[in-house]
Amino acid sequence: MKIAILGGGISGAALARMLAADGHRVVVLEKAERAGGLCRSRRYGEFTFDEAGGHIVFSKDKKVLDWQIDRCGGEDGVVKTVRNTKIRWHDRWVPYPFENGVGNLTKEAIVDCLAGYIEAFAQRRAGAPCPPNFGDWIQWRMGAGFGRQFMVPYNEKIWKRDLRTMASDWVAGRVPEAPIEDIVKSAIGIDTEGYTHQSVFWFPKHGGFEQMVRGTVAGGGFTLQCGVAAERVERAGSGYKVNGEAFDLVVNTVPLPQVEGAFADIPEPIRADIRALRPISLINLMIGVQLDEPLPPLSWIYLPFPEQGPTNRVTYFSNYSPHNAPAGHGSFLAEVTHRGDLKPDAAWLKGVVGALGRAGILQPEKVVLLEWCDNEYAYIDQDLEFASRISRVRRWFDESGYVTFGRFGRYEYHNSDQCVQRAMQVHAHIRQLAASGAPAPLRLP
């Protein structure tokens, strides 16, 4: 078949490579000057940074993990790291996830967390149903103490809204429940570890995370057209047209609100649903520092409290690869979310760096490079109407003959490895279409 893929992020590029290997003629249309999407990187002198915050190469699915590492140049092209993640809890370093590090808090905070967790655990055992909103879910799942000491301030900093106006279903599959035994052990000083599936990760030695996209495009067997937007997409007989060119199939990975106007045949109620979808945007500060001694061996840290400034997460980026910063220097990525209302200026940037200095992350006087990048589409705004709205949009696309997937092409809160996994599933669907010659609705697990 001749297939058009809209968007050259990791979702679109991965699928294009898989389809081209099957012998299909694949054309990827990418509006930007190069492929990569949220996985793009940039250089400033000898510093390399990722534009949309800290990414890592990992997956619970070995097939997906191997695919990612292969695209980065194989084992010789990546750095393997044992994850070391912390929370900056006021003036203390607390292991992440927070419930596994509770023993590092003050005695008063330990009691607050433990009492609340036991009460929440007992209520769940007694049959208390999962609340539909995120704010109440935190109390139901973690207890009031964990909410006060970390979960509420951290999530309010990210989502910029009352947590009770957010749905809870999105988080159920992302936050594994810590056994109560682990909570008690941690409270009395016995080390426990959470999120063990992510205890080791990989990162490209050179070129930042975009190297994985470059390795997907290079030798991929498909045509990549950069600087080309999808201006009109429509059915044409038994096939489709994109910007007037005929195709047998159209796959979208572009954020739905950005591409909705190009599709000629989306029904008006579905258009209204798409237009109501909202992203959470992300300012990513790229910070280079001169070092008197190596950075502590941290991977990334979380900053939950307002006095730590607007940053919610800091990646110790030069720890991911020694080639991310020149000799004698280190680098950080500092992430600040917003809702389209943040326009950084010199004073704001200085304030963010100053807050990171007061939090003990860096020395502001050692900063030698400070740049920033604004990512409009970074996180999915999980309001209470989101699930019903996106289910209608997905259903229409899945039954229309078009295919849409990707973090914002399908509005699924997926990391890059899950986007690759989705590409493999869509690839299997298109293989079935090609074999049967008959249209069939997309069915994803």
Side-chain angles (χ1 to χ4, degrees):
M1 294 193 293
K2 183 181 179 185
I3 302 170
I5 296 179
L6 314 182
I10 189 59
S11 296
L15 178 63
R17 187 180 184 96
M18 297 170 196
L19 292 173
D22 287 348
H24 300 295
R25 290 175 293 157
V26 183
V27 179
V28 176
L29 281 68
E30 170 54 53
K31 183 178 180 180
E33 76 281 359
R34 69 184 193 278
L38 287 173
C39 296
R40 294 197 303 179
S41 308
R42 61 174 67 177
R43 285 184 62 84
Y44 294 99
E46 295 183 71
F47 286 98
T48 298
F49 296 96
D50 287 347
E51 292 188 359
H55 301 282
I56 58 174
V57 176
F58 91 103
S59 178
K60 293 183 282 187
D61 184 324
K62 187 177 185 304
K63 181 180 179 182
V64 172
L65 178 60
D66 289 346
W67 191 95
Q68 294 178 97
I69 291 175
D70 285 347
R71 301 286 75 75
C72 295
E75 293 289 347
D76 291 338
V78 293
V79 177
K80 184 178 181 180
T81 300
V82 176
R83 186 199 74 200
N84 184 5
T85 311
K86 305 286 188 184
I87 297 158
R88 188 60 165 163
W89 190 81
H90 301 294
D91 61 348
R92 299 185 180 210
W93 294 102
V94 176
Y96 181 82
F98 191 69
E99 55 268 34
N100 293 92
V102 65
N104 294 268
L105 310 181
T106 62
K107 291 181 179 180
E108 293 80 7
I110 293 172
V111 171
D112 190 30
C113 290
L114 191 59
Y117 194 85
I118 292 171
E119 181 180 355
F121 181 84
Q123 290 179 351
R124 292 198 307 277
R125 282 291 181 92
C130 179
N133 74 76
F134 183 38
D136 289 343
W137 180 91
I138 291 173
Q139 311 301 316
W140 174 83
R141 178 68 169 273
M142 304 297 300
F146 276 111
R148 277 188 293 269
Q149 303 298 339
F150 176 69
M151 288 289 288
V152 170
Y154 176 68
N155 281 285
E156 286 180 343
K157 185 181 272 195
I158 290 180
W159 302 109
K160 302 293 191 291
R161 66 153 67 233
D162 183 338
L163 302 183
R164 292 169 297 179
T165 66
M166 294 178 64
S168 63
D169 52 0
W170 68 274
V171 76
R174 295 185 69 88
V175 181
E177 183 171 4
I180 193 168
E181 294 85 355
D182 281 3
I183 303 293
V184 175
K185 285 179 180 179
S186 178
I188 64 173
I190 299 174
D191 289 340
T192 61
E193 184 178 2
Y195 298 4
T196 54
H197 68 280
Q198 210 182 71
S199 59
V200 174
F201 66 90
W202 293 258
F203 194 82
K205 282 183 181 178
H206 300 276
F209 200 75
E210 188 179 327
Q211 183 59 38
M212 186 166 73
V213 180
R214 295 192 197 99
T216 303
V217 172
F222 59 90
T223 300
L224 173 63
Q225 298 180 355
C226 291
V228 179
E231 297 178 355
R232 184 170 178 84
V233 182
E234 58 190 328
R235 288 186 176 87
S238 60
Y240 305 87
K241 285 187 176 180
V242 178
N243 298 346
E245 184 177 353
F247 291 91
D248 298 307
L249 182 66
V250 176
V251 180
N252 175 62
T253 69
V254 176
L256 289 169
Q258 290 187 338
V259 78
E260 164 266 322
F263 280 81
D265 46 359
I266 296 178
E268 194 56 40
I270 301 301
R271 290 191 189 279
D273 281 333
I274 293 174
R275 290 168 184 166
L277 296 171
R278 296 286 183 268
I280 305 295
S281 301
L282 175 72
I283 298 288
N284 183 43
L285 277 71
M286 296 164 277
I287 306 170
V289 297
Q290 187 175 0
L291 296 177
D292 297 323
E293 57 186 26
L295 291 179
L298 293 168
S299 304
W300 63 90
I301 64 167
Y302 299 95
L303 300 169
F305 301 115
E307 65 268 20
Q308 297 165 331
T311 303
N312 65 77
R313 184 172 72 157
V314 174
T315 298
Y316 285 60
F317 197 58
S318 53
N319 287 346
Y320 283 16
S321 168
H323 304 286
N324 286 344
H329 294 76
S331 60
F332 300 92
L333 302 175
E335 301 174 27
V336 179
T337 57
H338 66 102
R339 289 178 169 270
D341 54 357
L342 179 56
K343 304 298 180 185
D345 58 20
W348 183 85
L349 294 169
K350 183 178 179 181
V352 174
V353 171
L356 295 177
R358 291 189 297 275
I361 311 305
L362 51 75
Q363 296 175 274
E365 67 275 12
K366 296 290 187 179
V367 172
V368 297
L369 186 147
L370 179 59
E371 300 286 347
W372 60 275
C373 180
D374 193 4
N375 301 271
E376 180 183 4
Y377 285 83
Y379 295 103
I380 294 169
D381 191 8
Q382 307 279 347
D383 65 27
L384 295 173
E385 288 74 40
F386 172 75
S388 58
R389 184 181 296 128
I390 196 61
S391 67
R392 293 189 293 267
V393 173
R394 292 170 184 162
R395 188 181 311 117
W396 183 84
F397 271 97
D398 292 349
E399 296 175 355
S400 69
Y402 296 112
V403 175
T404 191
F405 81 107
R407 186 167 192 161
F408 288 99
R410 197 173 181 84
Y411 266 73
E412 292 183 307
Y413 191 13
H414 280 174
N415 296 327
S416 56
D417 63 301
Q418 294 169 304
C419 290
V420 172
Q421 187 176 53
R422 271 288 190 245
M424 291 177 175
Q425 294 163 352
V426 172
H427 174 221
H429 167 74
I430 295 174
R431 270 189 167 177
Q432 292 178 343
L433 292 183
S436 67
L442 177 64
R443 296 287 183 259
L444 293 174

